Amino acid sequence: MTPPSADTVNPDRFGAKQPDAAYGAFQRGLYKTAYNLAMERAKNGDPAAETLVAEILSRGLGVPLNPAEAAKWYGLAAEQGVPEAQFQYALMLLDGRYVKKDEKGAFALMQASAEAGNRLAQFNFAQLLVQQDPGDDGLVKAAVYYERAAATGLADAQYAMAQLYANGAGGKPHDDAQARILLTQAARQNYDTAQIDLAAWMIEGRGGERDLKSGFAWIRRAAQGGNVAAQNRLAKLYMGGIGTDPDLILAGAWYIVARRAGLIDPQMDDFLQGLDDDQTKQALQKANRLP
């Protein structure tokens, strides 16, 4: 999981007692200084400083990348109840590369971090609950944590909740309108799977009014972001003139882009072969200029 960039890190992530000057240096990009200042306090058992040292080491900011050493400091901070450290150390325990794999310990730490309000831990704990019990009982338990994380604006959790409402699962009623709202929230954060689903729902009129132009716009956004499935679907929308004017050249171009990425669609292969030489040439030229 990608950590937040240094300039957007909330100091509360490092525990109630912030490492003051060390954190200030970290925010200004003075990572080596931050590391040295935090290390002095970390050696004295300051959990916030331990977490900051671990973060710097885990990302190689101003110091050599050292995940194994980061794991040690995350572990110490996790023992003192820092939610961010609990979350990061739980991930390491699940992974088992830098510490001995311990799924039971990871489960406990992930739950503790989730209960403390760490939204990434809430989402990941929900995932663990589903893995532990793939049936509806597991989804009911997971929904509590998906919902908490979704309320904070986490796109992964918003998409998960959309799926629960769309399927009437996890103790949630079947509610396409609510699912569409959640898909929209996730899509606006560039969650490409949500963008693709939302586009399909808008084109079908599921969960709200039919809106071909907006559906087309969401597929195009996902395609421009590099989603191969969206690129293929965008080609089909251009081919059929759905939500936009028909454009055989752009249809061919977007399918060429998707095909270069490894997607094969027999219907679109037939379409591409049906273009004349001039259209094929134009489609190739446009494909070479697309993302």
Side-chain angles (χ1 to χ4, degrees):
M1 187 170 293
T2 304
S5 61
D7 58 352
T8 61
V9 169
N10 184 329
D12 292 340
R13 290 177 58 237
F14 300 111
K17 185 179 179 183
Q18 299 166 25
D20 305 326
Y23 175 74
F26 181 84
Q27 287 291 77
R28 295 194 302 275
L30 303 174
Y31 303 124
K32 180 64 174 177
T33 299
Y35 175 80
N36 290 334
L37 290 170
M39 181 58 78
E40 293 179 16
R41 298 176 65 164
K43 288 178 178 178
N44 291 321
D46 184 317
E50 290 169 346
T51 307
L52 182 54
V53 166
E55 180 129 350
I56 291 171
L57 287 167
S58 70
R59 297 163 62 185
L61 299 173
V63 298
L65 183 70
N66 193 336
E69 185 69 8
K72 181 188 83 172
W73 291 107
Y74 274 136
L76 290 170
E79 288 177 0
Q80 298 191 68
V82 178
E84 175 66 16
Q86 291 171 330
F87 169 64
Q88 296 292 347
Y89 196 58
L91 291 179
M92 289 181 159
L93 289 173
L94 287 171
D95 181 68
R97 278 185 293 173
Y98 305 110
V99 293
K100 185 178 179 180
K101 192 166 186 174
D102 181 357
E103 294 183 359
K104 185 176 180 180
F107 186 91
L109 283 174
M110 195 70 78
Q111 182 175 18
S113 183
E115 296 294 354
N118 184 301
R119 67 180 192 166
L120 293 177
Q122 289 167 345
F123 175 77
N124 280 271
F125 185 60
Q127 297 286 79
L128 290 177
L129 288 169
V130 173
Q131 290 174 20
Q132 188 181 72
D133 183 357
D136 200 59
D137 287 345
L139 284 174
V140 170
K141 296 174 185 175
V144 174
Y145 295 93
Y146 282 139
E147 197 157 31
R148 290 180 191 174
T152 72
L154 187 66
D156 299 84
Q158 290 167 338
Y159 183 76
M161 287 303 301
Q163 297 308 300
L164 294 183
Y165 279 112
N167 295 288
K172 299 300 179 183
H174 182 274
D175 187 340
D176 280 349
Q178 181 62 22
R180 182 159 159 171
I181 289 170
L182 287 158
L183 284 176
T184 302
Q185 291 172 349
R188 286 174 177 163
Q189 296 188 68
N190 289 324
Y191 195 90
D192 57 358
T193 307
Q195 291 171 342
I196 293 171
D197 285 1
L198 179 61
W201 283 39
M202 286 183 161
I203 290 169
E204 295 169 9
R206 182 176 175 182
E209 293 184 4
R210 195 176 189 207
D211 187 343
L212 300 182
K213 288 186 177 180
S214 293
F216 170 83
W218 280 116
I219 279 288
R220 182 173 58 187
R221 184 166 166 178
Q224 290 172 336
N227 186 289
V228 178
Q231 291 166 349
N232 186 52
R233 295 190 188 190
L234 181 59
K236 290 185 176 182
L237 295 184
Y238 273 121
M239 180 178 69
I242 299 172
T244 187
D245 293 331
D247 191 323
L248 300 185
I249 305 304
L250 278 173
W254 278 108
Y255 179 60
I256 289 169
V257 170
R259 208 177 194 290
R260 285 173 177 170
L263 186 149
I264 297 176
D265 184 327
Q267 178 191 8
M268 295 307 295
D269 277 339
D270 289 343
F271 161 76
L272 203 59
Q273 291 171 8
L275 297 179
D276 62 35
D277 290 345
D278 184 58
Q279 289 172 324
T280 300
K281 180 180 178 180
Q282 290 183 60
L284 283 166
Q285 289 174 341
K286 281 190 177 292
N288 291 335
R289 295 194 297 269
L290 290 173

